[in-house]
């Protein structure tokens, strides 16, 4: 191999870790698109083709990261629950209400602040939490402050 071939090959190489970083960005884009779509349309109103169009990822990549639409929904719901629960817990940690009435007020304020920070939380809950069944049960189990 001559020097010009080596230098061309070296220029084409991606920096170390870039494949993993691109993969993580793709996975995050897919999950973000799914969260937004499920919040807007609910589970039944979203197809993997919709997630493909919104995220820019190929269907095969979506299925590489998530086995099927149901798994994608569960991961999206877990992420929404994690973010919501973290936001509420952070707000509650800032305050120490002196009595039950104040504690109720602070909890309501924490919920409202969390919903204001990320409106998709409320939409996700309304869209997916309005019908009895497995998805509602899943949400109840994962939204720590829904108990």
């Amino acid at each position: 191999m001559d020097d010009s071939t080596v230098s061309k090959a070296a220029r084409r190489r991606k920096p170390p870790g870039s494949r993993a970083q691109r993969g993580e960005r793709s996975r995050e884009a897919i999950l973000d698109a799914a969260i937004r779509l499920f919040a807007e349309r609910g589970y039944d109103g979203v197809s993997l083709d919709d997630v493909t169009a919104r995220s820019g990822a190929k269907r095969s990549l979506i299925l590489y990261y998530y086995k099927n639409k149901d798994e994608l929904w569960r991961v999206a719901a877990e992420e929404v629950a994690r973010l919501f629960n973290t936001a509420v817990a952070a707000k509650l940690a800032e305050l120490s209400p002196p009595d039950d009435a104040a504690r109720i007020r602070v909890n309501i304020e924490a919920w409202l602040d969390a919903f204001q920070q990320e409106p998709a939380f409320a939409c996700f809950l309304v869209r997916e939490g309005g019908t009895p069944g497995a998805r509602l049960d899943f949400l109840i189990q994962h939204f720590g402050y829904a108990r």
Side-chain angles (χ1 to χ4, degrees):
M1 208 184 284
D2 67 8
D3 286 341
S4 66
T5 306
V6 172
S7 63
K8 286 180 187 176
R11 283 192 302 250
R12 282 192 302 247
R13 273 191 224 130
K14 307 253 189 275
S18 66
R19 183 177 197 163
Q21 291 169 346
R22 284 193 318 272
E24 183 61 21
R25 283 193 305 268
S26 294
R27 190 191 66 73
E28 288 174 3
I30 292 166
L31 185 57
D32 184 59
I35 289 170
R36 302 296 170 210
L37 286 165
F38 289 133
E40 291 169 13
R41 304 180 194 169
Y43 179 88
D44 293 330
V46 176
S47 69
L48 288 180
D49 289 338
D50 296 329
V51 178
T52 296
R54 177 77 60 98
S55 68
K58 293 182 180 180
R59 184 183 181 97
S60 60
L61 187 61
I62 294 170
L63 293 173
Y64 173 79
Y65 289 115
Y66 308 98
K67 183 174 62 174
N68 53 38
K69 178 181 159 183
D70 191 55
E71 181 178 313
L72 178 57
W73 181 88
R74 281 194 313 273
V75 173
E78 287 171 350
E79 180 65 5
V80 168
R82 183 187 69 75
L83 294 170
F84 176 81
N85 292 336
T86 300
V88 171
K91 180 69 173 181
L92 292 176
E94 296 172 6
L95 309 165
S96 55
D99 56 43
D100 287 342
R103 202 170 1 269
I104 290 169
R105 189 185 82 258
V106 166
N107 272 280
I108 291 170
E109 287 174 5
W111 271 63
L112 294 174
D113 287 350
F115 288 143
Q116 189 174 19
Q117 282 178 353
E118 185 52 66
F121 299 166
C123 295
F124 204 98
L125 281 175
V126 169
R127 295 262 185 223
E128 299 303 329
T131 306
R135 287 192 296 276
L136 176 59
D137 293 343
F138 188 90
L139 291 175
I140 291 169
Q141 290 171 6
H142 287 85
F143 276 81
Y145 293 94
R147 293 181 216 142

